[in-house]
Amino acid sequence: MSMDAVTMDLFSTAPAPAAEPVHLVSWGLGVESSGYLVEVLSDPDRHGVDPANMIVLHAVVGSEWTQTYTDAEQFLLPLLADRRVRTVQLARGGPRDSDGIVVLDDTTRPHRVHRRGPWTLAEESRLSGTVPQLSHRRCSLKFKGWPLDTWIAANLGGRKYDHVIGYSVEETARAKRDLVYATATRTPVHPLISWGWTREACLSRLLAEFGVIWKKSACFFCPYSGGRSLENTLTRMRENPDEAATALLLEEPAVKLNPKSKLYGTHSLLERLVEDGNHIAVDLFLGRLEQQPWSVYDVRRIHFAAKNDRARKGTSWRSVRPLFTGSAAEARAWLTQAGPPDRDDRVWMRRQDDAAFYPRGEHFLVATTAGIAEKRRASFAEQWARIVGDTLTNGPQ
């Protein structure tokens, strides 16, 4: 991949400790952190901040709404450049931590926000056949927290820094949890809470400065956008049908492999867009779906017993193996030769039995978009044979 980025040298010599802590700001492009930057940089002396001692860090996840990028470029970057604030944009170098991070930009004259790095959350979702889940925030930790922490450790070393995070008054509980991560060098700072600023106050500040209503920062396939933010999310998807269709193309294979993997928990994004009458986005998705290469996958799951309780389900392991790849029509035809699909477009080879105890196994074939990587744990075949009594080579080839 050709990119105007350089791989960060994780073994570079750390700067010598300075008397004044670095004023480090995590900028997610959203309302709160952008509101903080506008307020401070409009009058840094009043807030006791030296722009020359500031570093603004932005972790590039790769699936932000286009409007968020363009607003940040039009309004915030000129302010950062005018104050000559060091602005660093970085991203994961690959799916493994050993791939390191890549610095996409490190300048005091920023002029554009990078849309993606070498490895994005969307790519990871597509390869694994999953979408982010409401049950955890591992995607944020992996694509934001870890790259930022890695850069800080390599570039600040033992130098003290005040780490500014834009938690508003409504997020006091999150700010309290952040205090746990204070160290001898890191001092968590939450100025918006100290100022008594709500999210609405940040919106008002940005509106007064730029004359625009700042939009919420989020991936366009974020599962948390289906809760209290659902109405705003549906509006954005009506305004941006291309991004809505892209999100649907990520959700489709995840739901085919596991009907419980709907983006919004009990509801899928597709269901929400149909309810909203967003025919443009849905039709765009359906058209693209038929144009994609498709595969038929052999999917097996082992559901182990919970610790010390065989009547409760514990962890689950999944094996995914592509059996056939072709057009959508060819994949559907191949699948029906194996048996009649159910309403979830699965052909069942083995359902979970009705036994009262775990572990249990299930096995089905399903057709959906191609590109999901073959995956199974090293000992999956051994456990499958022990629990189910057959081998992974059984079934259609």
Side-chain angles (χ1 to χ4, degrees), residues 65 132-134 216 218-234 237 251 262-269 272-273 275:
W65 294 90
Q133 297 295 298
L134 289 167
K216 179 180 176 64
C219 291
F220 48 78
F221 55 93
C222 176
Y224 295 96
S225 65
R228 289 178 295 179
S229 303
L230 179 61
E231 185 176 346
N232 289 333
T233 300
L234 293 176
M237 290 197 167
E251 182 185 56
K262 296 178 179 180
L263 188 63
Y264 298 146
T266 56
H267 293 84
S268 69
L269 172 60
R272 290 305 195 197
L273 294 185
E275 292 169 359

Side-chain angles (χ1 to χ4, degrees), residues 319-333:
S319 166
V320 178
R321 182 164 57 102
L323 302 177
F324 170 85
T325 298
S327 68
E330 290 169 339
R332 291 191 185 103

Side-chain angles (χ1 to χ4, degrees), residues 3 26 44 78 109 134 193 222 252 307 309 344 348 364 366 377 386 390-391 394:
M3 302 185 64
S26 288
R109 295 290 193 184
L134 289 167
I193 295 176
C222 176
E252 167 71 12
K307 187 176 181 180
D309 188 352
D344 294 316
W348 284 92
F364 60 88
V366 67
R377 293 174 184 251
R386 178 180 67 83
D390 65 7
T391 68
N394 287 355

Side-chain angles (χ1 to χ4, degrees), residues 12 68 142 187-188 210 236 264-265 332:
S12 59
T68 304
K142 182 171 184 177
T187 300
F210 303 125
R236 295 180 86 168
Y264 298 146
R332 291 191 185 103

